[in-house]
């Protein structure tokens, strides 16, 4: 009898376990139902709270002339619509006051009503509806230019006029149809995109929106956005990540993959370890959050492959790492898209909208008798141009400039930029029967590299100047990477312009490329890993004088045809020829033309050399009192200011200056105090090496100011072995140069 009892007991026990399992599953299902119900109610509540109805307005809000404020005027103005203290007090009883508070909280990094109230002072609590001060549409602030006119809108502001503008909270009006003349104008005008309920509730990414951007680009854009135009290498040897299997695979010609551009951050490499990808190998145990989010994002788009430098490059083989660096132009050029983490300070930050919520994306709305008002936060592209963490890193410039499509993840918006258009999550894809055409607005120079053109045929010095200027302004963790981090850019410039580069200097355009100067807000320090004659041998932002770019077509050797020079009548003058003294060259001559790096970083130049006495005019940070009131020059010295002395011992005047428009100034070059000491130790006397005699130069086409018979020269310092190193570049009158009796010499620059 014991055996049947034992079997029955076992059966009962098994049945009880099954019952417990069913109960646990039931409780889990109930919990999931409750969670889904709460989420639905929260989203519904969020959506309902964002769209308020007009139940009651306070006395102040009742008399606000909404239609008058939103009607465009010839002169922009601000209209007071209330007081922030009063709005906080009345928000429970006045729908419009509540709208104001919620709108301000959208623009606040800490959207707390109590905190907002505590930070206020009696003198800055007025609420204003302000028309755009320069008459631009609302999407201009996001750096976008569209094919549609803007809807009626104002900027919500508070405080005195001198402090307005930040943050940019757009209040758009959707007038009641048929009720006023603004309604008729607004039917075809562009409104900010109304985000979905889930987007506004938890700041999640709208995958369908990004897919529509990619679909539009692939279907409608021509060769610049297609892979055939990128010149892919069918034998490109790289590893990719299969996001479905979480394994490494070899790239096969035609594989469509995404690439990740991000900031490594300090200590990231140590935590990740040195990865050695192998076919079929799994990802390492530790993968930073940004990389995990990139995998999730690629999978969410329905794509399969992803390239990440830290994981897909063999970190254990230095030769292989260098070979992969040489392929950067191809890796990013043939990627289907590049994922850009703009605001992340390190690889653990994640992608907004994936593992961390997007900020400032709620859109409070109120329905009034005259129409519906909607508040939308607009991230100001121009006020934040080049200020993100990603924009500050040197490596990311080529990743941006080489990519055909970039999906940009910032803390408050998602956008996609391709070669033909720009998409932004504040813009709807369609409005009315026709799709909305949008592109980047290039009214100002963009520090993120989006304005750099690498694929146009022929050599254009402007493109080279843009690369050097933007790249040199960025930071490097390892100074030895100064050329590796931009090698892909120069590979592309070399292919299009048939130009060879030696330590970042174009060998066939050396005379222009050698006269780089520090940006007017910077002074330079030596980067000893590279030669002094290359911009790569210095840290700090570098640029070329504006006239070097603008005058490219006028300085061609042997071009005496002046008929194409379009001078204004007020600026027209005879170009007086200055006879170059016998035995003096028109330009310096390179005696060696190197084409490959790896050998001695030496340039041998046949030129003339003249000695000048120098004078220290003002030390770093000293007041600069001699410039005009409307001068572009800084009011305090940035670096030590030095000038050249003429034959009579008097200081020469610099007619060109350092800004876009020629401006007479008293100094020729600026140095860090430590380099000024080098000149002081030489009794304020130095050698200058002749570069080229310029018959005529112009500051810019817009200004159209001209200088004639100028000489560019380099300040060089002698070494004990007879070689020289470059310290500065100057531009002076030819007559002042030849008055010093320059002597022919062979210079060895290191």
């Amino acid at each position: 009898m014991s055996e049947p009892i034992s079997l029955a007991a076992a059966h009962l026990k098994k049945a009880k376990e099954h019952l417990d399992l069913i109960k646990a599953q039931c409780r889990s299902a109930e919990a999931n139902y409750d969670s889904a119900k709460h989420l639905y109610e929260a989203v519904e509540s969020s959506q309902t709270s964002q769209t308020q109805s007009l139940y009651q307005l306070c006395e102040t809000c009742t008399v606000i002339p909404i239609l008058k404020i939103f009607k465009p005027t010839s002169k922009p103005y601000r209209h007071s619509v209330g007081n922030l203290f009063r709005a906080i007090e009345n928000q429970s009883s006045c729908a419009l006051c509540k709208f104001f508070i919620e709108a301000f909280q959208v623009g606040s990094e800490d959207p707390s009503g109590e905190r907002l109230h505590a930070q206020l002072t009696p003198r800055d609590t007025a609420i204003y509806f302000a028309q755009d001060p320069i008459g631009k549409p609302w999407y201009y602030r996001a750096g976008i230019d569209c094919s549609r006119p803007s809807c009626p809108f104002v900027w919500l502001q508070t405080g005195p006029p001198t402090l307005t503008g930040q943050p940019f909270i757009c209040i758009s009006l959707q007038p009641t149809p048929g009720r006023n003349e603004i309604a008729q104008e607004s039917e075809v005008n562009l409104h900010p995109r109304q985000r979905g309920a889930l987007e506004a509730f938890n700041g999640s990414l709208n995958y369908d929106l990004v897919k529509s951007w990619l679909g539009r680009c692939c279907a409608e854009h021509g060769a610049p956005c297609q892979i055939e135009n990128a010149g892919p290498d069918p034998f490109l040897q790289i590893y990719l990540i299969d996001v479905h299997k979480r394994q490494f695979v070899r790239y096969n010609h035609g594989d469509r993959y995404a690439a990740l551009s991000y900031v490594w951050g300090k200590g990231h490499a140590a935590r990740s370890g040195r990865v050695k990808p192998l076919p079929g190998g799994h990802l390492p145990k530790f993968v930073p959050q940004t990389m995990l989010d990139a995998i999730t994002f690629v999978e969410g788009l329905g794509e399969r492959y992803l390239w990440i430098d830290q994981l897909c490059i063999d970190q254990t083989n230095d030769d292989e790492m260098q070979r992969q660096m040489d392929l950067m132009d191809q890796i990013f050029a043939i990627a289907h898209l590049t994922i850009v983490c703009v605001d992340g300070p390190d690889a653990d930050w994640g992608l907004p909208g994936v593992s961390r919520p997007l900020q400032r994306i709620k859109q409070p709305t109120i329905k009034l008798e005259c129409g519906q008002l909607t508040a939308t936060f607009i991230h100001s592209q121009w006020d934040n141009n080049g200020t993100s963490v990603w924009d500050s890193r040197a490596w990311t410039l080529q990743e941006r400039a080489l990519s055909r499509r970039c999906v940009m993840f910032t803390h408050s918006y998602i956008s996609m930029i391709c070669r033909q258009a720009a998409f932004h999550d504040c813009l709807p894809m369609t409005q009315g029967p026709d799709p909305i055409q949008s592109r980047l607005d290039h009214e100002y120079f963009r520090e993120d590299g989006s304005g750099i053109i690498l694929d146009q045929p022929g050599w254009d010095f402007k493109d080279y100047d843009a690369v050097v200027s933007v790249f040199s302004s960025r930071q490097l963790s390892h100074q030895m990477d100064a050329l590796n981090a931009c090698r892909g850019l120069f590979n592309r410039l070399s292919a299009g312009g048939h130009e060879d580069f030696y330590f970042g200097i174009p060998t066939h355009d050396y005379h222009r490329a050698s006269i780089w100067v520090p940006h007017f807000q910077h002074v330079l320090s030596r980067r000893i890993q590279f030669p002094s004659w290359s911009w790569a041998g210095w840290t700090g932002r570098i640029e070329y004088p504006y006239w070097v770019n603008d005058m490219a077509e006028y300085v061609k050797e042997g071009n005496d045809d002046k008929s194409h020079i379009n001078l204004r009548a007020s600026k027209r003058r005879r170009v007086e020829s200055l006879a170059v003294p016998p035995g003096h060259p028109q330009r310096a001559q390179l005696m060696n033309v190197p084409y490959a790096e790896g050998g001695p970083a030496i340039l041998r130049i046949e030129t003339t050399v003249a000695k000048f006495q120098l004078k220290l005019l003002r030390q770093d940070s000293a007041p600069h009192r001699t410039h005009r009131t409307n001068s572009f020059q800084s009011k305090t010295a940035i670096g030590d200011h030095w000038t050249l002395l003429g034959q009579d011992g008097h200081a020469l005047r610099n007619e060109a200056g350092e800004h876009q428009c020629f401006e007479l100034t008293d100094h020729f070059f600026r140095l860090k105090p430590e380099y000024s000491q080098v000149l002081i130790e030489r009794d304020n006397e130095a050698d200058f090496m002749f570069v080229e005699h310029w018959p005529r130069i112009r500051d810019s086409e817009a200004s159209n100011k001209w200088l004639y018979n100028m000489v560019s020269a380099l300040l060089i310092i002698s070494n004990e072995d007879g070689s020289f190193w470059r310290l500065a570049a100057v531009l002076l009158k030819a007559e002042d140069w030849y008055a010093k009796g320059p002597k022919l010499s062979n210079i060895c620059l290191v």
Side-chain angles (χ1 to χ4, degrees), residues 106 120 124 145 173 191 210 218 239 348 367-368 373 386 452 533 539 542 548 567 587 615 661 673:
V106 168
L120 298 176
D124 66 1
D145 186 16
L173 170 64
H191 289 258
V210 179
C218 293
Y239 285 98
D348 295 320
K367 292 182 179 179
L368 302 174
L373 300 181
I452 296 176
W533 46 264
T539 61
I542 286 166
V548 174
L567 295 177
R587 59 168 53 178
K615 181 179 179 180
C661 297

Side-chain angles (χ1 to χ4, degrees), residues 24 74 112 142 166 194 218 276 340 398 411 420 450 458 467 482 504 517 534 582 601 606 725-726:
S74 58
S112 168
Q166 292 284 0
Q194 191 68 39
C218 293
K276 182 180 177 65
V340 178
Q398 66 176 3
H411 71 283
Q420 297 288 86
S450 58
V467 169
V517 294
S534 168
E606 183 179 297
W725 58 282
R726 179 200 193 277

Side-chain angles (χ1 to χ4, degrees), residues 21-35:
L21 179 61
I22 296 297
K23 289 181 178 180
Q25 291 176 344
C26 184
R27 287 193 297 270
S28 177
E30 290 178 351
N32 289 337
Y33 172 78
D34 291 339
S35 177

Side-chain angles (χ1 to χ4, degrees), residues 74-93:
S74 58
K75 184 178 180 180
Y77 69 95
R78 300 201 314 164
H79 194 289
S80 177
V81 294
N83 179 280
L84 208 46
F85 273 131
R86 189 178 297 111
I88 292 175
E89 295 172 354
N90 295 340
Q91 61 179 316
S92 61
S93 58

Side-chain angles (χ1 to χ4, degrees), residues 78 126 128 130 133 155-168 383:
R78 300 201 314 164
Y128 295 95
W155 298 110
L156 180 65
Q157 299 174 353
T158 186
T162 55
L163 300 179
T164 60
Q166 292 284 0
F168 288 93
D383 290 271

